[in-house]
Amino acid sequence: MSGKKKAQPAATRCGFVAVIGAPNVGKSTLVNRLVGAKVSIVSPKVQTTRSRVLGIAIRDNAQILFIDTPGIFAPRRRLDRAMVAAAWQGAGDADLVLLLIDASRRQPDEETARIIEDLKRADRKILLALNKVDLVKQRERLLALAAEMDRTGCFSDIFMISAETGDGVDDLMRVLVSRLPSGPWLYPEDQITDMPMRLLAAEVTREHLFRQLHQEVPYALTVETESWEDFEDGSVKIQQMILVEREGQKAIVIGKAGARVKAVREAAQAELQEMLERRVHLFLAVKVREGWSEERERYKDLGLDWEA
Ligand SMILES: Nc1nc2c(ncn2[C@@H]2O[C@H](COP(=O)(O)OP(=O)(O)OP(=O)(O)O)[C@@H](O)[C@H]2O)c(=O)[nH]1
Ligand SMILES: [Mg+2]
């Protein structure tokens, strides 16, 4: 889990950079790339990230504390409300705010328009990155989008990047570093996130559930690590519970003759093994817990505000 150890230089910078935007624009992909390791789960579906995730990067004399946030959208359920509140709170607490837009979308998305309206009211200059430029064939379309965004008057800088390929990301990083306040590093040099391993392990399983399940099912479930046992031979036994809301969803998660949960278990176990650099024995159980998304306890673990 730990990166290479770097000695802290004499004159240091340190600060929080919140990455905000509509769902699915590539916020988590970007944070992982900037950190150089996976700290936040990614999927092709909207609303993958559910809570604030801290990703820590070091560049020259600076320690940059990236806050990956849930996508901002019109919330309906309690969980949605808490996710959106966490995103705005992430922005409020940060030294710098970076708004990400999916430049490959043909239609201007309503969510981004609403976010920009809210930013205007907040009267705060923020940085903008047009992401997924690898998917945009016509340069003119990008330039037109950049000009349109510039006219809003909300942005101090506009970048064109691909979080996926890394295109333009170095430039962005350089500017972020130059805008950070001076100050001592807040985390040890080799730390890349503040997320407890049990929670990160649950997120890895949730990512594979998101990738392998469709329609409402990914949104109706949550994953919790119930036990974590280290063995002398270096291996670890991790037991997790997948909570769903209804019997029908449980049947879908389990799949025919247990095929779905088996595939998820294998994928998550392989990924955990790589992250932890040790043998992992992952055990998954699926349980119906009607109304888990209304339970206060579930929110505390995720650092979400139940009353948001
Ligand atoms: N082609 C391309 N795909 C990208 C890029 N950045 C992200 N993606 C893909 O876009 C999808 C969403 O990425 P995420 O990083 O999960 O997006 P997010 O903004 O964190 O989404 P939420 O957490 O749901 O708000 C995934 O399938 C990514 O692989 C990019 O620069 N180019
Ligand atoms: Mg995300």
Side-chain angles (χ1 to χ4, degrees), residues 124 127 145 250 259:
R124 177 173 185 190
L127 299 99
L145 178 59
K250 178 174 168 181

Side-chain angles (χ1 to χ4, degrees), residues 27 30 70 77 137 262:
K27 299 176 295 295
L30 179 65
R77 306 184 297 170
K137 297 272 174 315
K262 179 166 181 271

Side-chain angles (χ1 to χ4, degrees), residues 41-56:
I41 64 168
V42 166
S43 93
K45 294 190 177 66
V46 297
Q47 296 161 35
T48 301
T49 305
R50 285 193 180 152
S51 59
R52 280 198 286 165
V53 175
L54 181 70
I56 308 171

Side-chain angles (χ1 to χ4, degrees), residues 266-278:
E266 280 167 3
Q269 178 173 278
E271 188 172 341
L272 284 167
Q273 233 150 227
E274 207 164 298
M275 281 172 101
L276 298 169
E277 296 174 327
R278 55 207 276 211

